Amino acid sequence: MSQNHRPTIHEVAKVAGVSISSVSRALNGNTSNTEMVERVNDAVRQVGYVPSVVAQSLKTRHTGQIAFAMEDIGNAAYLAMVREIQPTLRDVGYRLLLHSTGADVEDELGVLDSLSQNYVDGLVLCPLRVTERHVAALRDTPVPVVVIGLLPDDVPVDNVRADSRVGAGMAVEHLYEAGARRIGFIDGPVDTVPGHARYEGYRRGLDACGLPFDEELVEFADFQFEGGRHGARSLLARTDVDAILGANDLIAVGALHVLRELGRSVPDDVRVIGMDDTTVAATGFPPMSSVSLGSADRGRIAAQLLLRRLDGDTSPPERVTVPPSLTIRESTL
Amino acid sequence: MSQNHRPTIHEVAKVAGVSISSVSRALNGNTSNTEMVERVNDAVRQVGYVPSVVAQSLKTRHTGQIAFAMEDIGNAAYLAMVREIQPTLRDVGYRLLLHSTGADVEDELGVLDSLSQNYVDGLVLCPLRVTERHVAALRDTPVPVVVIGLLPDDVPVDNVRADSRVGAGMAVEHLYEAGARRIGFIDGPVDTVPGHARYEGYRRGLDACGLPFDEELVEFADFQFEGGRHGARSLLARTDVDAILGANDLIAVGALHVLRELGRSVPDDVRVIGMDDTTVAATGFPPMSSVSLGSADRGRIAAQLLLRRLDGDTSPPERVTVPPSLTIRESTL
DNA sequence: TTGAAAGCGTTACCAC
DNA sequence: GTGGTAACGCTTTCAA
């Protein structure tokens, strides 16, 4: 690690025998004198000059950085997003800043507030929940924000959403078509946005199939593998089912495990389907069907919307809904 | 999104009726006049002032940002690292910049070069391979760098490594103790650093157990689920085994699938163990044993080493090796 | 203790 | 076209 003085535009100017203005112009392509550009480039190479992005930012008022904030990058859905967002931004020269806010809503608001520090040009935000304070902060952000997730219609911010309600409904209908009549549902916490939406979707799916709703069939867990195991144990201890819908893949795979431990065959005795269509679905045994909520698509679209804003687009806020789709594997055949 | 003029330190000074120097001092705790601090804080609230980190960076020559560069955040090992690095840095006020470089070594070098732009105070780097140019760049970086992975001893940079050779050996010995005598190995590409190390570890493990090496027992695949499936199919078509070591969890879970499809019981007929101890190991069925290479630990340690450097520590480069450990689950009982 | 002023490294305006 | 120079918003030295 060298402690040498890093050359500035002044050194370049001196070596090239021109003014710093000319160097700046040459470097930014604001001159038609190609001989000048040559000279400057030579000098740049000679002194090993690299522009300071910080100084540039101060002057130009943009940073070349975009933040992505979500609860936990360990969550496969957010991971899928970041894998799309990063290359999308990177291709046009933006760096990505990652904020894992944790389950703390305060931290999420902290991210929104910190936007005023102007260290990023924009933000992609996946809020856990949308509180009054979120709305207030979003109404008046210093930089463009795109929200992935449900957002009240009057919040003037680009918004990309999944339709996990429809997705859960699709899952139920798929299970019904596969022959299931008693469909258990292991939901996530019902006070979360996805937990609530999937609960609704489950009920609508039942309605659509003409199946009765029975609370006995519903369990609530956290969105983790162990949650799925516990949920499945309680569910199966209480009643019998011929299918299980897990509110995400980890829950569903947890259920898969419990079923196998109990000696129930999947899919012959019980069909199982998850949501999010992540790696664990494909690597479960048997390979597990899942409802894709288009996380990767949502991430990419969000990034693109943000880039449009940064390009100066001032059209009204966009509202994009990514439709769910079914990935059918052996667990529901 | 507001286009309002954002208040600067000058507005605060005016409202507080003091000079900007005093505001700066008050805000940075470089004054003992508490009445002054009061006044400034009031003014700050009144005008809604938030300091510009860009301007601060230009002056103070540090950015409050640290970059983490690796091949693909989708890789569970890197994911585990980032989940430790981010909170570690965040707790002391650093923001995390993510660089997924992809399989392209050029991009990796690009990250190293871009360090001269001074947009970060430090870097945690997981190189795919370490080339001459890496070494050259690392010898003379403008900011502290910590490398996670193998590094030549003479490169003067903090270094955190796993010991996947020892880890693979441990896996073999564990399988041996569990009763296995014909231990198949599905490695990753042997021209990668981990692929090579694990191959060596496998052979040493066999030696340690007094088992003969047999090339028939070895397959090479990529580090993915499908790779594991293909590798296992080839292996089992060619010869019989009573255990399989996968060079990572995805490979091993792929093998698990193939074994079940072939009606072989795990662990009774064939024991299976993976490496990295990721989610897919725990959610596999049966829950799969795995060699943990301490990815989370490596990430945390790397972050801590970097923070020490940023604190001004100038002691000689540190070389930390995180020992592997065995997580035993049902697949090898 | 406080304020004036000099930078930090750029970009861009404005004369020439 | 080119070069001086004034910002950008802050921290910090130096006098008072």
Short mmCIF file of all heavy atoms in Angstrom, two decimals, chain A residues 1-2 6 50 53-54 58 65 72 83 86 90 95-98 100 107 116-119 140-141 257 260 283-285, chain B residues 1-2 6 50 53-54 58 65 72 83 86 90 95-100 107 116-119 140-141 257 260 283-285:
data_model
loop_
_atom_site.label_atom_id
_atom_site.label_comp_id
_atom_site.label_asym_id
_atom_site.label_seq_id
_atom_site.Cartn_x
_atom_site.Cartn_y
_atom_site.Cartn_z
N MET A 1 0.85 -1.19 0.00
CA MET A 1 0.00 0.00 0.00
C MET A 1 0.88 1.24 0.00
O MET A 1 1.64 1.49 0.90
CB MET A 1 -0.86 -0.02 1.26
CG MET A 1 -1.75 1.16 1.43
SD MET A 1 -2.49 1.04 3.08
CE MET A 1 -2.56 2.76 3.54
N SER A 2 0.76 2.01 -1.02
CA SER A 2 1.66 3.15 -1.15
C SER A 2 1.07 4.40 -0.52
O SER A 2 -0.12 4.65 -0.59
CB SER A 2 1.92 3.44 -2.64
OG SER A 2 0.83 4.15 -3.19
N ARG A 6 -0.85 11.23 -4.52
CA ARG A 6 -1.53 10.88 -5.77
C ARG A 6 -1.58 12.10 -6.66
O ARG A 6 -1.95 13.19 -6.23
CB ARG A 6 -2.94 10.38 -5.48
CG ARG A 6 -2.92 9.10 -4.65
CD ARG A 6 -4.26 8.41 -4.52
NE ARG A 6 -5.42 9.23 -4.80
CZ ARG A 6 -5.98 9.34 -5.98
NH1 ARG A 6 -5.48 8.72 -7.03
NH2 ARG A 6 -7.03 10.09 -6.13
N VAL A 50 -5.22 9.48 -12.02
CA VAL A 50 -6.58 8.96 -12.00
C VAL A 50 -7.45 10.02 -11.34
O VAL A 50 -7.14 10.47 -10.23
CB VAL A 50 -6.66 7.66 -11.19
CG1 VAL A 50 -8.07 7.14 -11.15
CG2 VAL A 50 -5.74 6.61 -11.78
N VAL A 53 -12.91 10.69 -7.94
CA VAL A 53 -14.36 10.71 -8.11
C VAL A 53 -15.03 11.58 -7.05
O VAL A 53 -16.11 12.11 -7.26
CB VAL A 53 -14.97 9.31 -8.07
CG1 VAL A 53 -14.54 8.48 -9.25
CG2 VAL A 53 -14.70 8.61 -6.77
N VAL A 54 -14.37 11.72 -5.92
CA VAL A 54 -14.96 12.53 -4.86
C VAL A 54 -15.02 14.00 -5.30
O VAL A 54 -16.07 14.64 -5.18
CB VAL A 54 -14.15 12.40 -3.56
CG1 VAL A 54 -14.66 13.39 -2.52
CG2 VAL A 54 -14.25 10.99 -3.02
N LEU A 58 -18.35 16.27 -6.03
CA LEU A 58 -18.64 17.55 -5.38
C LEU A 58 -19.04 18.58 -6.44
O LEU A 58 -19.96 19.37 -6.25
CB LEU A 58 -17.42 18.04 -4.62
CG LEU A 58 -17.61 19.35 -3.85
CD1 LEU A 58 -18.75 19.22 -2.86
CD2 LEU A 58 -16.33 19.73 -3.13
N GLN A 65 -23.16 6.39 -7.77
CA GLN A 65 -23.49 5.31 -6.85
C GLN A 65 -25.00 5.21 -6.66
O GLN A 65 -25.69 6.20 -6.62
CB GLN A 65 -22.83 5.53 -5.49
CG GLN A 65 -21.32 5.65 -5.59
CD GLN A 65 -20.61 5.63 -4.25
OE1 GLN A 65 -19.48 5.20 -4.17
NE2 GLN A 65 -21.25 6.11 -3.20
N ASP A 72 -32.50 -8.34 4.37
CA ASP A 72 -31.41 -9.29 4.58
C ASP A 72 -31.01 -9.90 3.25
O ASP A 72 -31.80 -10.60 2.62
CB ASP A 72 -31.87 -10.38 5.55
CG ASP A 72 -30.83 -11.50 5.67
OD1 ASP A 72 -29.66 -11.26 5.33
OD2 ASP A 72 -31.20 -12.61 6.11
N ARG A 83 -28.60 -9.73 -7.80
CA ARG A 83 -27.83 -10.32 -8.90
C ARG A 83 -28.22 -9.72 -10.24
O ARG A 83 -27.47 -9.81 -11.20
CB ARG A 83 -28.02 -11.83 -8.93
CG ARG A 83 -27.37 -12.50 -7.76
CD ARG A 83 -27.48 -13.99 -7.85
NE ARG A 83 -26.55 -14.56 -8.80
CZ ARG A 83 -26.53 -15.84 -9.11
NH1 ARG A 83 -27.41 -16.67 -8.57
NH2 ARG A 83 -25.65 -16.29 -9.96
N GLN A 86 -27.13 -5.37 -9.80
CA GLN A 86 -25.72 -5.01 -9.85
C GLN A 86 -25.19 -4.91 -11.29
O GLN A 86 -24.67 -3.87 -11.68
CB GLN A 86 -24.91 -5.99 -9.01
CG GLN A 86 -23.62 -5.42 -8.48
CD GLN A 86 -22.44 -5.87 -9.30
OE1 GLN A 86 -22.55 -6.75 -10.14
NE2 GLN A 86 -21.29 -5.25 -9.07
N ARG A 90 -24.01 -1.58 -13.20
CA ARG A 90 -22.59 -1.59 -13.50
C ARG A 90 -22.34 -1.34 -14.98
O ARG A 90 -21.37 -0.69 -15.35
CB ARG A 90 -22.08 -2.95 -13.05
CG ARG A 90 -20.75 -3.27 -13.48
CD ARG A 90 -20.60 -4.73 -13.85
NE ARG A 90 -19.30 -4.82 -14.45
CZ ARG A 90 -18.26 -5.35 -13.84
NH1 ARG A 90 -18.41 -5.93 -12.70
NH2 ARG A 90 -17.09 -5.32 -14.41
N ARG A 95 -21.91 2.29 -9.41
CA ARG A 95 -21.51 1.35 -8.37
C ARG A 95 -22.71 1.08 -7.47
O ARG A 95 -23.59 1.92 -7.32
CB ARG A 95 -20.38 1.94 -7.53
CG ARG A 95 -19.08 2.15 -8.29
CD ARG A 95 -17.98 2.65 -7.36
NE ARG A 95 -18.22 4.01 -6.91
CZ ARG A 95 -17.88 5.10 -7.57
NH1 ARG A 95 -17.29 4.98 -8.74
NH2 ARG A 95 -18.14 6.29 -7.10
N LEU A 96 -22.71 -0.13 -6.88
CA LEU A 96 -23.85 -0.50 -6.04
C LEU A 96 -23.47 -0.52 -4.57
O LEU A 96 -22.50 -1.15 -4.17
CB LEU A 96 -24.36 -1.89 -6.43
CG LEU A 96 -25.53 -2.38 -5.58
CD1 LEU A 96 -26.77 -1.55 -5.86
CD2 LEU A 96 -25.79 -3.85 -5.83
N LEU A 97 -24.27 0.16 -3.79
CA LEU A 97 -24.10 0.17 -2.34
C LEU A 97 -25.16 -0.70 -1.71
O LEU A 97 -26.34 -0.57 -2.04
CB LEU A 97 -24.28 1.59 -1.84
CG LEU A 97 -23.01 2.21 -1.31
CD1 LEU A 97 -22.76 3.51 -2.00
CD2 LEU A 97 -23.21 2.41 0.17
N LEU A 98 -24.76 -1.57 -0.82
CA LEU A 98 -25.69 -2.51 -0.25
C LEU A 98 -26.04 -2.14 1.18
O LEU A 98 -25.15 -1.97 2.01
CB LEU A 98 -25.06 -3.91 -0.26
CG LEU A 98 -26.01 -5.06 -0.28
CD1 LEU A 98 -26.76 -5.06 -1.60
CD2 LEU A 98 -25.25 -6.35 -0.10
N SER A 100 -28.09 -3.83 4.13
CA SER A 100 -28.96 -4.82 4.78
C SER A 100 -29.46 -4.16 6.05
O SER A 100 -28.68 -3.91 6.97
CB SER A 100 -28.19 -6.09 5.14
OG SER A 100 -28.23 -7.01 4.10
N ASP A 107 -33.99 1.30 10.99
CA ASP A 107 -32.82 1.32 10.11
C ASP A 107 -33.21 1.63 8.68
O ASP A 107 -32.49 2.30 7.95
CB ASP A 107 -32.12 -0.04 10.17
CG ASP A 107 -31.41 -0.24 11.49
OD1 ASP A 107 -31.21 0.77 12.20
OD2 ASP A 107 -31.06 -1.38 11.82
N SER A 116 -30.10 12.24 2.20
CA SER A 116 -29.77 13.66 2.15
C SER A 116 -28.27 13.91 2.22
O SER A 116 -27.81 15.00 1.91
CB SER A 116 -30.45 14.39 3.32
OG SER A 116 -31.84 14.28 3.19
N GLN A 117 -27.55 12.93 2.67
CA GLN A 117 -26.10 13.10 2.71
C GLN A 117 -25.51 13.09 1.31
O GLN A 117 -24.34 13.34 1.13
CB GLN A 117 -25.46 11.96 3.51
CG GLN A 117 -25.81 11.94 4.97
CD GLN A 117 -25.14 10.78 5.66
OE1 GLN A 117 -23.95 10.76 5.87
NE2 GLN A 117 -25.92 9.77 5.99
N ASN A 118 -26.37 12.71 0.36
CA ASN A 118 -25.95 12.76 -1.04
C ASN A 118 -24.75 11.90 -1.37
O ASN A 118 -23.87 12.32 -2.09
CB ASN A 118 -25.66 14.21 -1.43
CG ASN A 118 -26.88 14.85 -2.04
OD1 ASN A 118 -27.99 14.32 -1.88
ND2 ASN A 118 -26.69 15.94 -2.73
N TYR A 119 -24.76 10.72 -0.85
CA TYR A 119 -23.68 9.82 -1.21
C TYR A 119 -24.10 8.87 -2.32
O TYR A 119 -23.29 8.07 -2.80
CB TYR A 119 -23.19 9.03 0.00
CG TYR A 119 -24.24 8.17 0.64
CD1 TYR A 119 -24.33 6.82 0.33
CD2 TYR A 119 -25.16 8.70 1.54
CE1 TYR A 119 -25.31 6.03 0.90
CE2 TYR A 119 -26.13 7.93 2.11
CZ TYR A 119 -26.21 6.58 1.79
OH TYR A 119 -27.18 5.81 2.35
N ASP A 140 -40.76 13.08 -0.34
CA ASP A 140 -39.85 14.21 -0.43
C ASP A 140 -38.39 13.76 -0.38
O ASP A 140 -37.61 14.22 0.44
CB ASP A 140 -40.14 15.16 0.74
CG ASP A 140 -39.34 16.44 0.62
OD1 ASP A 140 -39.29 17.00 -0.48
OD2 ASP A 140 -38.73 16.84 1.63
N THR A 141 -38.04 12.82 -1.25
CA THR A 141 -36.66 12.35 -1.23
C THR A 141 -35.78 13.26 -2.07
O THR A 141 -36.22 13.81 -3.07
CB THR A 141 -36.53 10.93 -1.80
OG1 THR A 141 -36.85 10.96 -3.17
CG2 THR A 141 -37.44 9.97 -1.07
N HIS A 257 -39.58 -32.13 4.44
CA HIS A 257 -38.82 -32.96 5.37
C HIS A 257 -39.72 -33.67 6.37
O HIS A 257 -39.58 -34.87 6.61
CB HIS A 257 -37.82 -32.08 6.13
CG HIS A 257 -36.55 -31.87 5.40
ND1 HIS A 257 -35.32 -32.09 5.95
CD2 HIS A 257 -36.32 -31.47 4.13
CE1 HIS A 257 -34.37 -31.81 5.07
NE2 HIS A 257 -34.96 -31.42 3.95
N ARG A 260 -41.63 -36.54 4.88
CA ARG A 260 -40.82 -37.73 4.65
C ARG A 260 -40.51 -38.42 5.97
O ARG A 260 -40.51 -39.65 6.06
CB ARG A 260 -39.54 -37.35 3.92
CG ARG A 260 -39.81 -36.62 2.62
CD ARG A 260 -38.53 -36.35 1.87
NE ARG A 260 -38.00 -37.60 1.40
CZ ARG A 260 -38.29 -38.10 0.20
NH1 ARG A 260 -39.10 -37.44 -0.60
NH2 ARG A 260 -37.79 -39.25 -0.17
N THR A 283 -33.33 -27.98 -5.57
CA THR A 283 -32.45 -28.98 -4.96
C THR A 283 -33.16 -29.80 -3.88
O THR A 283 -32.56 -30.69 -3.29
CB THR A 283 -31.21 -28.32 -4.31
OG1 THR A 283 -31.63 -27.44 -3.28
CG2 THR A 283 -30.41 -27.54 -5.35
N GLY A 284 -34.41 -29.47 -3.59
CA GLY A 284 -35.15 -30.28 -2.64
C GLY A 284 -35.38 -31.67 -3.23
O GLY A 284 -35.20 -31.88 -4.42
N PHE A 285 -35.78 -32.61 -2.39
CA PHE A 285 -36.08 -33.91 -2.94
C PHE A 285 -37.43 -34.37 -2.45
O PHE A 285 -37.65 -34.47 -1.26
CB PHE A 285 -35.03 -34.95 -2.58
CG PHE A 285 -35.11 -36.15 -3.46
CD1 PHE A 285 -34.42 -36.19 -4.65
CD2 PHE A 285 -35.94 -37.22 -3.13
CE1 PHE A 285 -34.53 -37.28 -5.49
CE2 PHE A 285 -36.05 -38.30 -3.96
CZ PHE A 285 -35.34 -38.35 -5.15
N MET B 1 -39.95 13.47 -4.90
CA MET B 1 -38.55 13.86 -4.97
C MET B 1 -38.45 15.37 -5.09
O MET B 1 -38.93 15.98 -6.03
CB MET B 1 -37.93 13.19 -6.20
CG MET B 1 -36.49 13.51 -6.40
SD MET B 1 -35.94 12.81 -7.97
CE MET B 1 -34.76 14.06 -8.48
N SER B 2 -37.82 15.96 -4.11
CA SER B 2 -37.78 17.42 -4.07
C SER B 2 -36.56 17.95 -4.82
O SER B 2 -35.48 17.39 -4.78
CB SER B 2 -37.70 17.90 -2.62
OG SER B 2 -36.39 17.80 -2.13
N ARG B 6 -30.64 22.18 -1.20
CA ARG B 6 -30.34 21.57 0.09
C ARG B 6 -29.47 22.52 0.90
O ARG B 6 -28.50 23.06 0.39
CB ARG B 6 -29.64 20.23 -0.10
CG ARG B 6 -30.54 19.25 -0.83
CD ARG B 6 -30.02 17.85 -0.94
NE ARG B 6 -29.35 17.32 0.22
CZ ARG B 6 -28.08 17.47 0.54
NH1 ARG B 6 -27.31 18.14 -0.17
NH2 ARG B 6 -27.57 16.93 1.59
N VAL B 50 -28.20 18.56 6.54
CA VAL B 50 -27.48 17.29 6.57
C VAL B 50 -26.15 17.48 5.85
O VAL B 50 -26.13 17.93 4.71
CB VAL B 50 -28.28 16.17 5.87
CG1 VAL B 50 -27.51 14.87 5.90
CG2 VAL B 50 -29.63 16.00 6.51
N VAL B 53 -21.59 14.28 2.55
CA VAL B 53 -20.45 13.38 2.78
C VAL B 53 -19.41 13.55 1.67
O VAL B 53 -18.23 13.28 1.88
CB VAL B 53 -20.87 11.90 2.88
CG1 VAL B 53 -21.72 11.67 4.09
CG2 VAL B 53 -21.56 11.45 1.61
N VAL B 54 -19.86 13.97 0.51
CA VAL B 54 -18.90 14.15 -0.58
C VAL B 54 -17.92 15.26 -0.24
O VAL B 54 -16.70 15.10 -0.37
CB VAL B 54 -19.64 14.46 -1.89
CG1 VAL B 54 -18.65 14.83 -2.98
CG2 VAL B 54 -20.48 13.27 -2.33
N LEU B 58 -13.87 14.93 0.42
CA LEU B 58 -12.85 15.67 -0.31
C LEU B 58 -11.85 16.29 0.67
O LEU B 58 -10.64 16.30 0.45
CB LEU B 58 -13.51 16.76 -1.15
CG LEU B 58 -12.56 17.56 -2.04
CD1 LEU B 58 -11.81 16.64 -2.98
CD2 LEU B 58 -13.32 18.62 -2.82
N GLN B 65 -16.47 4.44 3.00
CA GLN B 65 -16.95 3.34 2.18
C GLN B 65 -15.87 2.27 2.04
O GLN B 65 -14.69 2.58 1.95
CB GLN B 65 -17.35 3.83 0.79
CG GLN B 65 -18.43 4.89 0.84
CD GLN B 65 -19.01 5.22 -0.52
OE1 GLN B 65 -20.15 5.63 -0.60
NE2 GLN B 65 -18.23 5.06 -1.57
N ASP B 72 -19.20 -13.78 -7.63
CA ASP B 72 -20.66 -13.83 -7.79
C ASP B 72 -21.31 -13.93 -6.42
O ASP B 72 -21.14 -14.92 -5.72
CB ASP B 72 -21.04 -15.04 -8.64
CG ASP B 72 -22.54 -15.23 -8.70
OD1 ASP B 72 -23.28 -14.28 -8.40
OD2 ASP B 72 -22.98 -16.36 -9.03
N ARG B 83 -22.71 -11.32 4.47
CA ARG B 83 -23.63 -11.17 5.59
C ARG B 83 -22.91 -10.86 6.89
O ARG B 83 -23.51 -10.38 7.85
CB ARG B 83 -24.47 -12.44 5.75
CG ARG B 83 -25.46 -12.61 4.63
CD ARG B 83 -26.31 -13.82 4.85
NE ARG B 83 -27.35 -13.58 5.83
CZ ARG B 83 -28.19 -14.51 6.24
NH1 ARG B 83 -28.09 -15.74 5.78
NH2 ARG B 83 -29.12 -14.23 7.12
N GLN B 86 -20.95 -6.91 6.06
CA GLN B 86 -21.80 -5.72 6.05
C GLN B 86 -22.10 -5.19 7.45
O GLN B 86 -21.81 -4.03 7.75
CB GLN B 86 -23.08 -6.01 5.27
CG GLN B 86 -23.73 -4.79 4.67
CD GLN B 86 -24.90 -4.30 5.50
OE1 GLN B 86 -25.36 -5.00 6.38
NE2 GLN B 86 -25.37 -3.10 5.19
N ARG B 90 -20.81 -1.73 9.06
CA ARG B 90 -21.88 -0.81 9.31
C ARG B 90 -21.86 -0.34 10.77
O ARG B 90 -22.17 0.81 11.05
CB ARG B 90 -23.16 -1.57 8.97
CG ARG B 90 -24.37 -0.92 9.37
CD ARG B 90 -25.39 -1.93 9.85
NE ARG B 90 -26.44 -1.13 10.44
CZ ARG B 90 -27.60 -0.93 9.85
NH1 ARG B 90 -27.90 -1.56 8.76
NH2 ARG B 90 -28.47 -0.12 10.38
N ARG B 95 -20.03 2.24 4.92
CA ARG B 95 -20.97 1.69 3.95
C ARG B 95 -20.26 0.64 3.10
O ARG B 95 -19.05 0.71 2.91
CB ARG B 95 -21.49 2.81 3.04
CG ARG B 95 -22.31 3.85 3.75
CD ARG B 95 -22.87 4.86 2.76
NE ARG B 95 -21.82 5.70 2.21
CZ ARG B 95 -21.37 6.81 2.78
NH1 ARG B 95 -21.89 7.22 3.93
NH2 ARG B 95 -20.42 7.52 2.23
N LEU B 96 -21.04 -0.31 2.62
CA LEU B 96 -20.45 -1.39 1.84
C LEU B 96 -20.79 -1.28 0.36
O LEU B 96 -21.95 -1.16 -0.02
CB LEU B 96 -20.94 -2.74 2.35
CG LEU B 96 -20.37 -3.94 1.58
CD1 LEU B 96 -18.90 -4.10 1.86
CD2 LEU B 96 -21.11 -5.20 1.94
N LEU B 97 -19.75 -1.35 -0.45
CA LEU B 97 -19.92 -1.34 -1.89
C LEU B 97 -19.69 -2.74 -2.43
O LEU B 97 -18.69 -3.37 -2.09
CB LEU B 97 -18.89 -0.41 -2.50
CG LEU B 97 -19.48 0.83 -3.11
CD1 LEU B 97 -18.83 2.05 -2.54
CD2 LEU B 97 -19.27 0.73 -4.58
N LEU B 98 -20.60 -3.20 -3.25
CA LEU B 98 -20.50 -4.57 -3.72
C LEU B 98 -20.04 -4.62 -5.17
O LEU B 98 -20.63 -3.98 -6.04
CB LEU B 98 -21.88 -5.20 -3.62
CG LEU B 98 -21.91 -6.70 -3.48
CD1 LEU B 98 -21.29 -7.09 -2.16
CD2 LEU B 98 -23.33 -7.20 -3.58
N HIS B 99 -19.00 -5.38 -5.42
CA HIS B 99 -18.57 -5.61 -6.80
C HIS B 99 -18.67 -7.10 -7.11
O HIS B 99 -17.89 -7.89 -6.60
CB HIS B 99 -17.10 -5.21 -6.98
CG HIS B 99 -16.85 -3.75 -7.04
ND1 HIS B 99 -17.26 -2.97 -8.08
CD2 HIS B 99 -16.23 -2.92 -6.18
CE1 HIS B 99 -16.89 -1.71 -7.87
NE2 HIS B 99 -16.27 -1.65 -6.72
N SER B 100 -19.66 -7.48 -7.90
CA SER B 100 -19.65 -8.83 -8.45
C SER B 100 -18.89 -8.76 -9.75
O SER B 100 -19.35 -8.15 -10.71
CB SER B 100 -21.07 -9.34 -8.71
OG SER B 100 -21.59 -9.99 -7.59
N ASP B 107 -12.04 -7.91 -14.97
CA ASP B 107 -12.90 -7.08 -14.14
C ASP B 107 -12.36 -6.98 -12.72
O ASP B 107 -12.46 -5.95 -12.07
CB ASP B 107 -14.32 -7.67 -14.09
CG ASP B 107 -15.03 -7.46 -15.42
OD1 ASP B 107 -14.58 -6.61 -16.20
OD2 ASP B 107 -16.03 -8.14 -15.66
N SER B 116 -7.69 3.65 -7.19
CA SER B 116 -7.01 4.95 -7.27
C SER B 116 -8.00 6.10 -7.41
O SER B 116 -7.63 7.25 -7.21
CB SER B 116 -6.07 4.96 -8.47
OG SER B 116 -5.08 3.98 -8.31
N GLN B 117 -9.21 5.78 -7.79
CA GLN B 117 -10.21 6.84 -7.88
C GLN B 117 -10.62 7.33 -6.49
O GLN B 117 -11.35 8.30 -6.37
CB GLN B 117 -11.46 6.35 -8.61
CG GLN B 117 -11.22 5.96 -10.03
CD GLN B 117 -12.52 5.48 -10.67
OE1 GLN B 117 -13.45 6.23 -10.88
NE2 GLN B 117 -12.58 4.20 -10.95
N ASN B 118 -10.17 6.56 -5.50
CA ASN B 118 -10.43 6.97 -4.12
C ASN B 118 -11.89 7.11 -3.76
O ASN B 118 -12.28 8.05 -3.09
CB ASN B 118 -9.73 8.29 -3.84
CG ASN B 118 -8.36 8.05 -3.24
OD1 ASN B 118 -7.85 6.92 -3.32
ND2 ASN B 118 -7.78 9.06 -2.65
N TYR B 119 -12.66 6.16 -4.19
CA TYR B 119 -14.06 6.20 -3.78
C TYR B 119 -14.33 5.29 -2.59
O TYR B 119 -15.43 5.23 -2.07
CB TYR B 119 -14.98 5.81 -4.95
CG TYR B 119 -14.75 4.43 -5.48
CD1 TYR B 119 -15.54 3.37 -5.05
CD2 TYR B 119 -13.74 4.16 -6.39
CE1 TYR B 119 -15.33 2.09 -5.53
CE2 TYR B 119 -13.52 2.89 -6.87
CZ TYR B 119 -14.33 1.86 -6.44
OH TYR B 119 -14.10 0.59 -6.90
N ASP B 140 1.06 -2.40 -4.44
CA ASP B 140 1.09 -0.95 -4.47
C ASP B 140 -0.32 -0.36 -4.53
O ASP B 140 -0.64 0.42 -5.41
CB ASP B 140 1.90 -0.49 -5.69
CG ASP B 140 2.10 1.01 -5.68
OD1 ASP B 140 2.50 1.53 -4.64
OD2 ASP B 140 1.83 1.64 -6.72
N THR B 141 -1.16 -0.77 -3.61
CA THR B 141 -2.52 -0.24 -3.63
C THR B 141 -2.57 1.08 -2.89
O THR B 141 -1.84 1.29 -1.92
CB THR B 141 -3.51 -1.20 -2.95
OG1 THR B 141 -3.20 -1.27 -1.57
CG2 THR B 141 -3.46 -2.57 -3.58
N HIS B 257 -29.40 -36.53 -5.07
CA HIS B 257 -30.55 -36.74 -5.93
C HIS B 257 -30.38 -37.97 -6.81
O HIS B 257 -31.27 -38.80 -6.92
CB HIS B 257 -30.76 -35.50 -6.82
CG HIS B 257 -31.56 -34.44 -6.16
ND1 HIS B 257 -32.65 -33.86 -6.73
CD2 HIS B 257 -31.41 -33.85 -4.96
CE1 HIS B 257 -33.15 -32.95 -5.92
NE2 HIS B 257 -32.40 -32.91 -4.84
N ARG B 260 -30.75 -41.21 -4.94
CA ARG B 260 -32.14 -41.54 -4.62
C ARG B 260 -32.87 -42.00 -5.87
O ARG B 260 -33.68 -42.93 -5.81
CB ARG B 260 -32.83 -40.35 -3.99
CG ARG B 260 -32.08 -39.82 -2.77
CD ARG B 260 -32.86 -38.70 -2.12
NE ARG B 260 -34.06 -39.25 -1.53
CZ ARG B 260 -34.14 -39.66 -0.28
NH1 ARG B 260 -33.07 -39.59 0.50
NH2 ARG B 260 -35.25 -40.15 0.18
N THR B 283 -31.01 -28.27 4.18
CA THR B 283 -32.35 -28.51 3.64
C THR B 283 -32.39 -29.70 2.69
O THR B 283 -33.44 -30.04 2.17
CB THR B 283 -32.88 -27.27 2.90
OG1 THR B 283 -32.03 -26.99 1.78
CG2 THR B 283 -32.94 -26.06 3.80
N GLY B 284 -31.25 -30.30 2.42
CA GLY B 284 -31.26 -31.50 1.60
C GLY B 284 -31.97 -32.62 2.34
O GLY B 284 -32.20 -32.53 3.55
N PHE B 285 -32.32 -33.67 1.61
CA PHE B 285 -32.91 -34.79 2.32
C PHE B 285 -32.21 -36.07 1.93
O PHE B 285 -32.16 -36.39 0.76
CB PHE B 285 -34.41 -34.90 2.03
CG PHE B 285 -35.10 -35.77 3.05
CD1 PHE B 285 -35.56 -35.20 4.22
CD2 PHE B 285 -35.20 -37.14 2.85
CE1 PHE B 285 -36.16 -36.00 5.19
CE2 PHE B 285 -35.80 -37.94 3.82
CZ PHE B 285 -36.28 -37.38 4.98
#
